[in-house]
Amino acid sequence: MIALKLGVTANDVKNVIIWGNHSSTQYPDVNHAKVKLQGKEVGVYEALKDDNWLKGEFVTTVQQRGAAVIKARKLSSAMSAAKAICDHVRDIWFGTPEGEFVSMGVISDGNSYGVPDDLLYSFPVVIKNKTWKFVEGLPVNDFSREKMDLTAKELTEEKETAFEFLSSA
């Protein structure tokens, strides 16, 4: 969406973060994203100059993309999931380029972003030698904090529901 809006290829956009759950609470964060425009790398916020779109339509469209794929295809969004799996395998195998990171659902233990431990939560990670590490120290503004906490709350509730189900089985 960012590439289309800026008239560049998807390869010209990097370091977009998806925080949290794979649900309608996931949070696409471009606060640390970069885009290559006319040979120069700039921040996405600086390039777009449209906070309302980035905090509104962009976020909600990404959050609803699974449902949109199903509606458009009148079929499962399994191919979208398969593509994501292939991308993850590629990233694990080859690593992330220097200065770039990817978002990946990993166990939250030891993160520095205030997400509770024991959740499978999407974070920005770098991968080297087939091992992922959290990207540390990215500033989180109030808007992002609210979105990140909401998706963590949902995951915590889902985990509790799953444990209740398992303990009664």
Side-chain angles (χ1 to χ4, degrees):
M1 288 179 66
I2 291 165
L4 284 171
K5 195 151 180 87
L6 291 170
V8 298
T9 69
N11 288 334
D12 291 325
V13 180
K14 66 181 184 181
N15 296 350
V16 175
I17 301 169
I18 299 291
W19 296 100
N21 200 1
H22 186 259
S23 74
S24 63
T25 66
Q26 67 185 297
Y27 168 51
D29 178 3
V30 297
N31 286 294
H32 310 287
K34 304 285 184 198
V35 61
K36 190 185 227 177
L37 287 176
Q38 300 164 354
K40 182 181 170 196
E41 194 171 89
V42 297
V44 166
Y45 265 92
E46 179 187 341
L48 279 172
K49 298 176 179 72
D50 191 347
D51 285 9
N52 288 334
W53 184 80
L54 286 168
K55 290 180 176 179
E57 182 183 340
F58 171 69
V59 171
T60 56
T61 301
V62 172
Q63 288 174 330
Q64 300 299 324
R65 76 183 188 277
V69 168
I70 292 167
K71 183 178 178 184
R73 294 186 69 227
K74 311 232 185 314
L75 296 168
S76 162
S77 61
M79 286 303 292
S80 180
K83 168 76 166 89
I85 291 167
C86 290
D87 290 347
H88 276 10
V89 169
R90 179 203 60 224
D91 293 335
I92 291 167
W93 189 259
F94 294 107
T96 50
E98 191 66 33
E100 295 186 27
F101 50 79
V102 295
S103 296
M104 193 172 283
V106 297
I107 194 70
S108 60
D109 297 9
N111 78 87
S112 63
Y113 294 102
V115 175
D117 285 350
D118 296 324
L119 296 178
L120 193 57
Y121 188 103
S122 180
F123 288 93
V125 298
V126 292
I127 303 166
K128 186 173 183 177
N129 299 324
K130 299 177 183 62
T131 303
W132 64 267
K133 290 184 182 177
F134 294 115
V135 174
E136 300 288 352
L138 295 174
V140 175
N141 64 28
D142 290 343
F143 180 82
S144 296
R145 175 87 275 142
E146 182 181 324
K147 299 291 188 189
M148 292 165 66
D149 289 349
L150 179 67
T151 194
K153 180 178 183 283
E154 180 184 58
L155 281 165
T156 300
E157 290 168 357
E158 288 178 0
K159 181 179 94 170
E160 289 168 358
T161 299
F163 284 160
E164 287 172 15
F165 177 77
L166 291 171
S167 66
S168 68

